[in-house]
Amino acid sequence: LTASNITPYTADLSWIENGSATTWNIEYGATGFTQGTGTTVAATSNPFTLTGLSSATTYDVYIQADCGGTGSSTWLGPITFTTECAPITSLQWNEGVESITTAGEFPLCWAHTGGTTYWSTGITSTTNNRYAHSGTKYFTCRYGASDLLYTPGFILTAGTSYDFSFWYITDGYSGWNNLATLVGTSQALAGITDTLSIITSPINTTYQQVTVSFIPATTDTFYFSVYVGASTAPMYMTFDDFRLIETPTCTEPSGLTA
């Protein structure tokens, strides 16, 4: 039993029929579900397409042959697969990293370069200004990086202005060469189309917000990204509270204090 051609909402299943069955029972559900509580469908073809799935979701799948009057086989499985991420269509979008449960875990549909070496996440405050801007969780990038952090995809409309923002703080050490904000049509360097901002030699030890505007020339799926370039001299830069909105026609106030 294998899964292929996986999309945000469908997956093709195929298997080897070792008898003469022409009907099979398939049960599936979110990974870890207890058999008997999942969704069961009858397949009359091999391969068979599962439909109506949820995007960015991990599923377990079982199958058994239905031999008609002679009964059914034992269940085979589970196999596990994860559906692809679907582009986000509804704004305002906010990401405060609060969905993760362990350090080093990333929110669904984010991507980054550098393997597990440079970009990571944290769930508690620690040294070198690694703490959340709000909530308790955050992204971090470490010394020696020349790496990118990619957001999920967004379907943006041609000619509409959008504001992308995030908050960041450094450890106060020199050696942070560049902090850039970019946008493109994939979660890959080759897909980057525009550099929206570059901050050279950031050294702030309180959180600062970066806000950039972007007007796409075509309606498409776009991914924003943050690039950090650093020597081996500093330690960590920390990020939190990402947001994407349509550029407001009435500018919001700032600096509210009590």
Side-chain angles (χ1 to χ4, degrees):
L1 178 63
T2 60
S4 61
N5 301 321
I6 299 166
T7 75
Y9 308 113
T10 66
D12 290 345
L13 303 178
S14 59
W15 57 92
I16 297 171
E17 170 54 41
N18 293 312
S20 57
T22 57
T23 303
W24 301 267
N25 299 317
I26 295 171
E27 186 178 9
Y28 66 95
T31 188
F33 83 94
T34 301
Q35 267 205 280
T37 65
T39 299
T40 302
V41 294
T44 56
S45 64
N46 179 9
F48 177 81
T49 301
L50 283 181
T51 61
L53 304 177
S54 298
S55 64
T57 302
T58 301
Y59 287 93
D60 288 346
V61 181
Y62 299 82
I63 191 170
Q64 71 173 177
D66 183 346
C67 300
T70 59
S72 301
S73 72
T74 57
W75 288 94
L76 171 67
I79 62 160
T80 300
F81 66 87
T82 301
T83 52
E84 294 184 350
C85 295
I88 294 166
T89 59
S90 179
L91 299 179
Q92 156 175 340
W93 168 85
N94 298 279
E95 177 59 77
V97 205
E98 296 302 310
S99 62
I100 68 171
T101 57
T102 59
E105 176 189 0
F106 283 77
L108 287 173
C109 305
W110 287 70
H112 58 94
T113 62
T116 59
T117 302
Y118 296 106
W119 283 99
S120 189
T121 58
I123 60 174
T124 57
S125 300
T126 186
T127 58
N128 298 298
N129 286 337
R130 285 176 288 170
Y131 63 90
H133 176 255
S134 67
T136 60
K137 300 165 186 178
Y138 50 86
F139 294 105
T140 63
C141 193
R142 53 157 269 192
Y143 56 90
S146 180
D147 289 279
L148 289 146
L149 175 70
Y150 296 97
T151 69
F154 305 90
I155 295 180
L156 304 184
T157 302
T160 300
S161 180
Y162 299 90
D163 286 355
F164 174 70
S165 62
F166 60 89
W167 293 82
Y168 80 99
I169 185 173
T170 81
D171 50 19
Y173 296 116
S174 60
W176 297 110
N177 299 326
N178 294 294
L179 170 60
T181 308
L182 311 103
V183 68
T185 54
S186 68
Q187 289 177 321
L189 182 61
I192 291 174
T193 58
D194 296 271
T195 299
L196 304 177
S197 73
I198 300 178
I199 299 171
T200 57
S201 304
I203 200 169
N204 51 295
T205 54
T206 59
Y207 264 104
Q208 293 185 8
Q209 188 178 35
V210 174
T211 302
V212 295
S213 295
F214 174 61
I215 303 176
T218 59
T219 298
D220 204 344
T221 300
F222 291 91
Y223 302 80
F224 292 88
S225 57
V226 174
Y227 168 82
V228 175
S231 71
T232 57
M235 294 300 292
Y236 294 94
M237 190 182 295
T238 302
F239 300 82
D240 199 5
D241 290 336
F242 288 71
R243 182 175 73 162
L244 180 64
I245 60 172
E246 287 193 22
T247 302
T249 56
C250 182
T251 305
E252 65 186 21
S254 62
L256 179 64
T257 59

PDB file of all heavy atoms in Angstrom, residues 35-48:
ATOM      1  N   GLN A  35      -8.520   2.437  14.861  1.00  0.00           N
ATOM      2  CA  GLN A  35      -9.338   1.803  13.827  1.00  0.00           C
ATOM      3  C   GLN A  35     -10.758   1.559  14.329  1.00  0.00           C
ATOM      4  O   GLN A  35     -10.964   1.149  15.472  1.00  0.00           O
ATOM      5  CB  GLN A  35      -8.701   0.487  13.384  1.00  0.00           C
ATOM      6  CG  GLN A  35      -7.788   0.665  12.171  1.00  0.00           C
ATOM      7  CD  GLN A  35      -7.670  -0.620  11.384  1.00  0.00           C
ATOM      8  OE1 GLN A  35      -6.914  -1.507  11.758  1.00  0.00           O
ATOM      9  NE2 GLN A  35      -8.411  -0.711  10.290  1.00  0.00           N
ATOM     10  N   GLY A  36     -11.703   1.819  13.452  1.00  0.00           N
ATOM     11  CA  GLY A  36     -13.105   1.763  13.814  1.00  0.00           C
ATOM     12  C   GLY A  36     -13.701   3.133  14.036  1.00  0.00           C
ATOM     13  O   GLY A  36     -14.929   3.293  14.054  1.00  0.00           O
ATOM     14  N   THR A  37     -12.825   4.139  14.201  1.00  0.00           N
ATOM     15  CA  THR A  37     -13.302   5.508  14.404  1.00  0.00           C
ATOM     16  C   THR A  37     -12.979   6.399  13.212  1.00  0.00           C
ATOM     17  O   THR A  37     -13.327   7.581  13.219  1.00  0.00           O
ATOM     18  CB  THR A  37     -12.680   6.130  15.671  1.00  0.00           C
ATOM     19  OG1 THR A  37     -11.255   6.260  15.491  1.00  0.00           O
ATOM     20  CG2 THR A  37     -12.964   5.276  16.897  1.00  0.00           C
ATOM     21  N   GLY A  38     -12.307   5.843  12.188  1.00  0.00           N
ATOM     22  CA  GLY A  38     -11.929   6.636  11.033  1.00  0.00           C
ATOM     23  C   GLY A  38     -13.032   6.696   9.993  1.00  0.00           C
ATOM     24  O   GLY A  38     -14.165   6.252  10.216  1.00  0.00           O
ATOM     25  N   THR A  39     -12.692   7.246   8.843  1.00  0.00           N
ATOM     26  CA  THR A  39     -13.610   7.315   7.705  1.00  0.00           C
ATOM     27  C   THR A  39     -13.371   6.106   6.816  1.00  0.00           C
ATOM     28  O   THR A  39     -12.229   5.820   6.449  1.00  0.00           O
ATOM     29  CB  THR A  39     -13.377   8.601   6.893  1.00  0.00           C
ATOM     30  OG1 THR A  39     -13.609   9.730   7.740  1.00  0.00           O
ATOM     31  CG2 THR A  39     -14.303   8.670   5.691  1.00  0.00           C
ATOM     32  N   THR A  40     -14.429   5.380   6.471  1.00  0.00           N
ATOM     33  CA  THR A  40     -14.315   4.168   5.654  1.00  0.00           C
ATOM     34  C   THR A  40     -14.969   4.404   4.297  1.00  0.00           C
ATOM     35  O   THR A  40     -16.083   4.930   4.217  1.00  0.00           O
ATOM     36  CB  THR A  40     -14.971   2.971   6.355  1.00  0.00           C
ATOM     37  OG1 THR A  40     -14.346   2.779   7.629  1.00  0.00           O
ATOM     38  CG2 THR A  40     -14.809   1.706   5.528  1.00  0.00           C
ATOM     39  N   VAL A  41     -14.253   4.033   3.250  1.00  0.00           N
ATOM     40  CA  VAL A  41     -14.801   4.124   1.891  1.00  0.00           C
ATOM     41  C   VAL A  41     -14.576   2.785   1.206  1.00  0.00           C
ATOM     42  O   VAL A  41     -13.635   2.039   1.529  1.00  0.00           O
ATOM     43  CB  VAL A  41     -14.138   5.251   1.076  1.00  0.00           C
ATOM     44  CG1 VAL A  41     -14.481   6.604   1.675  1.00  0.00           C
ATOM     45  CG2 VAL A  41     -12.631   5.067   1.004  1.00  0.00           C
ATOM     46  N   ALA A  42     -15.438   2.469   0.239  1.00  0.00           N
ATOM     47  CA  ALA A  42     -15.290   1.255  -0.565  1.00  0.00           C
ATOM     48  C   ALA A  42     -14.625   1.631  -1.881  1.00  0.00           C
ATOM     49  O   ALA A  42     -15.098   2.519  -2.595  1.00  0.00           O
ATOM     50  CB  ALA A  42     -16.642   0.609  -0.812  1.00  0.00           C
ATOM     51  N   ALA A  43     -13.507   0.986  -2.182  1.00  0.00           N
ATOM     52  CA  ALA A  43     -12.786   1.234  -3.434  1.00  0.00           C
ATOM     53  C   ALA A  43     -13.094   0.116  -4.419  1.00  0.00           C
ATOM     54  O   ALA A  43     -13.078  -1.061  -4.059  1.00  0.00           O
ATOM     55  CB  ALA A  43     -11.287   1.305  -3.165  1.00  0.00           C
ATOM     56  N   THR A  44     -13.362   0.502  -5.657  1.00  0.00           N
ATOM     57  CA  THR A  44     -13.620  -0.492  -6.704  1.00  0.00           C
ATOM     58  C   THR A  44     -12.599  -0.378  -7.829  1.00  0.00           C
ATOM     59  O   THR A  44     -12.775  -0.962  -8.904  1.00  0.00           O
ATOM     60  CB  THR A  44     -15.035  -0.319  -7.281  1.00  0.00           C
ATOM     61  OG1 THR A  44     -15.187   1.023  -7.754  1.00  0.00           O
ATOM     62  CG2 THR A  44     -16.083  -0.612  -6.218  1.00  0.00           C
ATOM     63  N   SER A  45     -11.521   0.373  -7.568  1.00  0.00           N
ATOM     64  CA  SER A  45     -10.443   0.488  -8.547  1.00  0.00           C
ATOM     65  C   SER A  45      -9.112   0.543  -7.818  1.00  0.00           C
ATOM     66  O   SER A  45      -9.038   0.916  -6.653  1.00  0.00           O
ATOM     67  CB  SER A  45     -10.612   1.742  -9.409  1.00  0.00           C
ATOM     68  OG  SER A  45     -10.498   2.918  -8.609  1.00  0.00           O
ATOM     69  N   ASN A  46      -8.082   0.148  -8.498  1.00  0.00           N
ATOM     70  CA  ASN A  46      -6.719   0.171  -7.969  1.00  0.00           C
ATOM     71  C   ASN A  46      -5.797   0.687  -9.087  1.00  0.00           C
ATOM     72  O   ASN A  46      -5.634  -0.018 -10.083  1.00  0.00           O
ATOM     73  CB  ASN A  46      -6.295  -1.234  -7.538  1.00  0.00           C
ATOM     74  CG  ASN A  46      -4.869  -1.279  -6.999  1.00  0.00           C
ATOM     75  OD1 ASN A  46      -4.244  -0.250  -6.782  1.00  0.00           O
ATOM     76  ND2 ASN A  46      -4.352  -2.496  -6.801  1.00  0.00           N
ATOM     77  N   PRO A  47      -5.301   1.927  -8.989  1.00  0.00           N
ATOM     78  CA  PRO A  47      -5.304   2.815  -7.820  1.00  0.00           C
ATOM     79  C   PRO A  47      -6.653   3.475  -7.574  1.00  0.00           C
ATOM     80  O   PRO A  47      -7.550   3.417  -8.405  1.00  0.00           O
ATOM     81  CB  PRO A  47      -4.225   3.846  -8.167  1.00  0.00           C
ATOM     82  CG  PRO A  47      -4.162   3.851  -9.648  1.00  0.00           C
ATOM     83  CD  PRO A  47      -4.472   2.462 -10.100  1.00  0.00           C
ATOM     84  N   PHE A  48      -6.726   4.113  -6.374  1.00  0.00           N
ATOM     85  CA  PHE A  48      -7.953   4.754  -5.928  1.00  0.00           C
ATOM     86  C   PHE A  48      -7.589   6.117  -5.346  1.00  0.00           C
ATOM     87  O   PHE A  48      -6.594   6.248  -4.621  1.00  0.00           O
ATOM     88  CB  PHE A  48      -8.631   3.891  -4.864  1.00  0.00           C
ATOM     89  CG  PHE A  48      -9.881   4.503  -4.289  1.00  0.00           C
ATOM     90  CD1 PHE A  48     -11.085   4.421  -4.968  1.00  0.00           C
ATOM     91  CD2 PHE A  48      -9.855   5.151  -3.058  1.00  0.00           C
ATOM     92  CE1 PHE A  48     -12.248   4.978  -4.443  1.00  0.00           C
ATOM     93  CE2 PHE A  48     -10.995   5.706  -2.518  1.00  0.00           C
ATOM     94  CZ  PHE A  48     -12.212   5.619  -3.219  1.00  0.00           C
TER      95      PHE A  48
END
